[in-house]
């Protein structure tokens, strides 16, 4: 039986000339204001600026600046800074700083976000990120190696009148990083490969999307961003592949009509109860030329049940409603293979991070 329904509401990626004109942006030309504040943090909106890096000493770092907890859209501006650091020995550390709204400022002309003494600022190429919470402190310099990119407008539009949206801008698909991280006052300086993107919207994601895989990485001369989004039931479980592949810093593939997606080695995660693929594979076929991008899970870096982030009446209401949304972050191997016909032209592997956001009930 098909998951889709003839009564499903429309959901689409904005890609028409009218969409670009209405949003005030241009095809294939990212402007600095697009990485600036796109919301004011008022109730009914959310926004965050995200950074992650694989570091040469084996550590993995994630820093996110939020206007609010994105599962609680009714909140006014409630800024927070999240730091997740996995040390070279595998020790996972996490801190969350929640500050008063008066501590927040963000430019609408470029990325310049301040939450107290924490800073996330840049110009689509060069960024500085400084964050401190509890025993963790990080100071990052990110320099882009692959130009800013977005899938069409970067807006997924939902409803009869496109009234709801989820927007995404990979501002730095890949960059080199210099990082100093401190744990309990002990500092380490290292370098590595990093990534920055920016998200915002005007509706709870759990009302628009059932689940998604999202991944990024670099192997040999290649850089890749890949995602597979499944919309919520009322939008017919419509699916949206996302794919960007660059070689030597230049875009070579991003036509989603040429992408197929596979989940292999599925199992049920014992903590979240969600189905997880040990292997996710994106195949891009353009005539006789084919790129196969495979992510193979080696370890779990994070598993979050969103209901655990709620408190008081909201948590009780979520339990009554049966809400069991989860977020999982994985580490493992990225393999990128290039074929001409059936002949393998080249193959490269490296470490990668990816995530599974699962809002809805597990699908069979």
């Amino acid at each position: 039986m098909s998951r889709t329904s003839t009564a499903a509401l429309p959901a689409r990626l904005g890609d028409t000339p009218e969409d670009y004109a209405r949003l005030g942006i241009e095809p294939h030309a990212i402007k600095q204001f697009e990485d600036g504040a796109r919301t004011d943090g008022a109730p009914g909106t959310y926004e965050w600026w995200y950074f992650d890096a694989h570091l040469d000493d084996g550590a993995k770092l994630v820093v996110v600046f939020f206007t609010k907890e994105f599962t609680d859209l009714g909140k006014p501006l409630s800024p927070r800074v999240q730091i997740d650091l996995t040390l070279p020995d595998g020790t996972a550390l996490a801190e969350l700083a929640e500050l008063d709204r008066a501590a927040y400022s963000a430019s609408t002309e470029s990325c310049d976000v301040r939450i107290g003494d924490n800073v996330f600022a840049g110009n689509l190429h060069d960024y500085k990120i400084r964050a401190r919470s509890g025993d963790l402190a990080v100071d990052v310099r990110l320099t882009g190696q692959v130009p800013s990119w977005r899938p069409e407008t970067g807006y997924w539009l939902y409803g009869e009148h496109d009234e709801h949206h989820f927007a995404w801008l990979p501002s730095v698909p890949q960059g080199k990083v210099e990082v100093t991280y401190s744990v309990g006052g002990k500092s380490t300086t290292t370098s590595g490969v990093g990534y920055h993107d920016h998200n915002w919207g005007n509706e709870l994601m759990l009302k628009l999307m059932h689940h998604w895989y999202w991944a990024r990485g670099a192997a040999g001369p290649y850089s890749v961003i890949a995602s597979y989004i499944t919309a919520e039931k009322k939008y017919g479980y419509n699916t949206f592949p996302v794919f960007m592949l660059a070689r030597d810093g230049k875009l070579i593939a991003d036509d989603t009509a040429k992408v197929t997606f596979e989940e292999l080695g599925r199992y049920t995660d014992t903590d979240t109860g969600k189905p997880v693929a040990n292997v996710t594979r994106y195949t891009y076929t353009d005539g006789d030329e084919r790129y196969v991008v495979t992510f193979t899970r080696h370890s779990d870096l994070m598993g979050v049940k969103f209901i655990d982030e709620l408190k008081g009446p909201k948590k009780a209401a979520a339990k009554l409603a049966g809400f069991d949304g989860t977020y999982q972050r994985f580490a493992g191997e990225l393999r990128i293979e290039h074929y001409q016909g059936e002949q393998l032209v080249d193959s490269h592997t490296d470490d990668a991070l990816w995530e599974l956001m699962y809002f809805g009930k597990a699908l069979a």
Side-chain angles (χ1 to χ4, degrees):
M1 181 177 177
S2 171
R3 291 176 183 165
T4 60
S5 167
T6 55
L9 292 171
R12 65 187 183 91
L13 175 61
D15 62 357
T16 68
E18 292 77 15
D19 292 329
Y20 283 101
R22 178 169 51 85
L23 296 168
I25 58 178
E26 301 173 20
H28 315 300
I30 315 299
K31 303 296 177 60
Q32 284 197 47
F33 80 87
E34 297 182 54
D35 204 23
R38 310 307 303 275
T39 75
D40 60 5
T45 68
Y46 65 85
E47 188 164 13
W48 72 78
W49 292 260
Y50 171 96
F51 164 81
D52 75 42
H54 303 272
L55 303 177
D56 292 342
D57 68 350
K60 299 175 179 67
L61 175 64
V62 176
V63 180
V64 193
F65 282 38
F66 296 92
T67 59
K68 67 183 65 172
E69 184 181 353
F70 68 87
T71 57
D72 194 356
L73 226 62
K75 277 186 175 181
L77 177 65
S78 307
R80 54 195 343 210
V81 176
Q82 180 177 321
I83 308 171
D84 296 300
L85 175 65
T86 303
L87 298 175
D89 67 1
T91 301
L93 305 171
E95 292 284 355
L96 177 66
E98 298 179 285
L99 287 88
D100 186 85
R101 61 186 303 173
Y104 174 86
S105 68
S107 170
T108 58
E109 297 179 359
S110 65
C111 179
D112 189 353
V113 186
R114 313 287 171 130
I115 301 177
D117 293 330
N118 305 288
V119 178
F120 201 130
N123 60 6
L124 298 179
H125 186 263
D126 298 302
Y127 285 78
K128 64 177 179 180
I129 302 164
R130 187 172 66 243
R132 176 184 294 274
S133 181
D135 287 337
L136 294 183
V138 298
D139 196 320
V140 177
R141 294 294 183 271
L142 170 65
T143 303
Q145 296 170 311
V146 175
S148 302
W149 172 84
R150 53 172 144 73
E152 298 295 349
T153 63
Y155 278 73
W156 282 266
L157 304 169
Y158 296 79
E160 294 286 357
H161 306 289
D162 299 334
E163 56 266 32
H164 301 306
H165 68 260
F166 166 77
W168 174 56
L169 174 70
S171 314
V172 181
Q174 180 184 312
K176 62 181 181 179
V177 296
E178 299 293 332
V179 176
T180 297
Y181 62 84
S182 300
V183 181
K186 182 180 179 181
S187 295
T188 301
T189 298
T190 185
S191 56
V193 177
Y195 166 91
H196 157 49
D197 71 12
H198 179 190
N199 290 86
W200 63 97
N202 68 351
E203 177 60 285
L204 283 170
M205 288 187 289
L206 64 89
K207 292 187 177 182
L208 304 179
M209 288 168 276
H210 187 271
H211 67 277
W212 79 63
Y213 280 99
W214 171 89
R216 73 95 183 163
Y222 295 103
S223 307
V224 65
I225 300 172
S227 181
Y228 195 74
I229 302 168
T230 300
E232 245 301 312
K233 180 180 180 179
K234 72 177 181 178
Y235 300 102
Y237 295 119
N238 200 2
T239 56
F240 302 100
V242 177
F243 190 84
M244 186 225 73
L245 185 67
R247 183 183 175 106
D248 297 323
K250 295 182 179 179
L251 179 69
I252 59 173
D254 72 346
D255 184 349
T256 57
K258 299 176 180 178
V259 179
T260 58
F261 174 74
E262 298 173 86
E263 297 178 71
L264 305 172
R266 282 177 46 149
Y267 67 97
T268 300
D269 182 79
T270 54
D271 290 332
T272 66
K274 304 298 187 184
V276 176
N278 263 316
V279 176
T280 51
R281 179 171 294 148
Y282 302 80
T283 301
Y284 189 96
T285 304
D286 189 2
D288 287 338
E289 193 165 37
R290 181 163 45 99
Y291 293 94
V292 180
V293 177
T294 305
F295 294 88
T296 302
R297 170 184 163 272
H298 289 170
S299 63
D300 299 339
L301 297 181
M302 177 184 287
V304 175
K305 297 178 182 178
F306 292 132
I307 198 168
D308 293 340
E309 305 290 307
L310 301 175
K311 299 178 177 67
K314 289 181 179 178
K315 185 168 187 173
K319 284 185 175 180
L320 286 172
F323 174 59
D324 65 349
T326 61
Y327 171 83
Q328 292 169 267
R329 186 180 298 148
F330 314 105
E333 179 194 84
L334 162 64
R335 180 179 298 271
I336 301 177
E337 299 167 298
H338 178 203
Y339 291 86
Q340 287 282 0
E342 296 304 314
Q343 183 174 354
L344 179 64
V345 177
D346 62 354
S347 177
H348 301 273
T349 61
D350 212 322
D351 295 334
L353 298 175
W354 63 99
E355 68 183 32
L356 171 61
M357 187 82 82
Y358 215 114
F359 293 115
K361 299 293 183 183
L363 293 176

